Amino acid sequence: MRKFSFHSPRVIKALTTALIWLTAAVVMSACSTHTKPAPVEQPKAVETTIPAPVVKKAIVKHPVQQKKSNFFALMKPIIVDENNKISQQRQQIMQLKHKKVLSKQDSATLATLSSTYGITMPTTPDQTFWNNLLNRVNIIPVELALVQAANESAWGTSRFAREGNNYFGQWCFQKGCGIVPKQRAKGAAHEVRYFKNKTKSVRAYMKNINSSGAYANLRTIRSKLQKQQQPIQAELLANGLKNYSERGMAYVKTIQSMIRKNRSIIDQTEPVTLAQDDAR
């Protein structure tokens, strides 16, 4: 029988192999124990860092404000431009008023303006005539015109705005003058007026406000503010729109509320450049 020895090459090789396997087992066990808790802690950190309500609010709020800004940017330059034209007409009338003698050209200009705003021009213009004409030839506050356009056209999405450039719900009464409403009452003959472009829609709206007897109270409020050297305030003038809708004073309250809610957006909105078709 051979004598057993720890110094034998076979014994040394066997011990070395066993030691390697034992070390590997210890390392694997340590790694498994160290990494195990990590997946449990990670979801908690995500949930507490980004609350769900904050993300929802940011997503819902942006499109509404953007929609309003886009609409105001589209309509604002047209309304401002039409108001500038009215201001020029008003200045022209005031210059003619202070002339001692009107030339034929002056009289022709005055007659055209009188006809446009629904006033009969006397042979010799008197103070009453001048007062009535100046009462009608005046601007409409930008805020008032914008929110009425938004209300009447559903922010530019209504069928009448898209197909007929009608942003103020204006009617006409000749067959073929506009678009027939789908829900028109039986026996009714009105149509929703068609306009070639947005500018003509705004111009007709301003002419309607400045000449129709239905809005005489609005013009009176405006005139009083000017006599008191006060700014022409949109919310105050809205009180004269009771006859604009069958809703009466409920409509007035709606328009006043829209003015208040959208004033900051209107002020901050930069108007876009007028399209060639609308710059007329």
Side-chain angles (χ1 to χ4, degrees):
M1 178 181 293
R2 288 184 180 182
K3 189 177 181 179
F4 179 79
S5 174
F6 282 100
H7 298 287
S8 169
R10 289 184 180 181
V11 173
I12 293 173
K13 184 176 181 180
L15 290 172
T16 303
T17 301
L19 182 60
I20 291 172
W21 279 104
L22 180 60
T23 303
V26 171
V27 171
M28 290 178 65
S29 176
C31 291
S32 174
T33 304
H34 177 71
T35 57
K36 193 173 182 180
V40 178
E41 295 179 359
Q42 187 62 25
K44 290 182 180 179
V46 173
E47 289 177 5
T48 55
T49 303
I50 309 175
V54 174
V55 176
K56 276 188 176 182
K57 185 177 180 181
I59 293 174
V60 172
K61 187 177 179 181
H62 176 69
V64 175
Q65 288 188 338
Q66 191 60 52
K67 176 183 176 181
K68 291 181 176 183
S69 294
N70 290 344
F71 180 80
F72 291 147
L74 185 69
M75 300 298 293
K76 191 174 182 178
I78 301 174
I79 293 169
V80 169
D81 189 56
E82 289 303 305
N83 268 335
N84 287 338
K85 291 176 182 176
I86 292 174
S87 294
Q88 290 173 4
Q89 291 176 338
R90 183 177 176 84
Q91 186 63 33
Q92 191 174 27
I93 292 169
M94 293 178 72
Q95 290 174 352
L96 294 176
K97 178 184 176 182
H98 290 96
K99 278 192 171 184
K100 292 182 178 180
V101 179
L102 297 177
S103 66
K104 288 184 179 181
Q105 182 62 44
D106 293 337
S107 296
T109 298
L110 197 57
T112 299
L113 288 170
S114 299
S115 177
T116 298
Y117 288 92
I119 291 180
T120 302
M121 179 180 168
T123 304
T124 304
D126 55 14
Q127 190 61 42
T128 300
F129 165 77
W130 292 115
N131 290 343
N132 289 339
L133 186 58
L134 288 170
N135 180 262
R136 297 191 177 203
V137 185
N138 211 337
I139 64 170
I140 307 295
V142 174
E143 292 175 327
L144 181 61
L146 280 175
V147 299
Q148 275 201 273
N151 181 273
E152 296 293 335
S153 72
W155 297 93
T157 64
S158 72
R159 174 193 172 204
F160 307 119
R162 291 183 287 105
E163 297 179 12
N165 287 307
N166 192 322
Y167 287 81
F168 296 92
Q170 298 172 89
W171 290 4
C172 56
F173 297 91
Q174 293 181 348
K175 188 174 181 179
C177 62
I179 302 170
V180 177
K182 292 180 180 179
Q183 298 180 347
R184 185 173 65 177
K186 186 177 180 180
H190 73 275
E191 297 180 12
V192 179
R193 188 175 170 184
Y194 169 83
F195 294 99
K196 183 179 179 180
N197 53 43
K198 300 178 190 66
T199 293
K200 293 188 182 300
S201 177
V202 172
R203 188 174 297 161
Y205 155 77
M206 290 188 170
K207 178 183 175 182
N208 183 33
I209 295 296
N210 279 331
S211 60
S212 173
Y215 313 114
N217 188 39
L218 181 148
R219 298 192 293 272
T220 298
I221 296 171
R222 182 175 60 187
S223 179
K224 286 181 178 179
L225 287 171
Q226 285 193 313
K227 288 178 180 178
Q228 296 169 1
Q229 296 184 339
Q230 298 293 321
I232 302 176
Q233 301 173 47
E235 279 188 69
L236 291 178
L237 263 64
N239 287 305
L241 293 173
K242 182 179 178 181
N243 295 322
Y244 202 94
S245 166
E246 294 178 350
R247 296 174 58 215
M249 285 306 297
Y251 177 79
V252 170
K253 297 299 182 184
T254 295
I255 296 301
Q256 290 175 327
S257 176
M258 288 182 70
I259 291 170
R260 290 190 293 270
K261 290 179 180 179
N262 294 286
R263 180 174 286 123
S264 62
I265 301 178
I266 293 172
D267 291 341
Q268 295 169 13
T269 298
E270 291 294 333
V272 298
T273 303
L274 282 177
Q276 186 175 2
D277 186 49
D278 284 316
R280 301 176 184 178

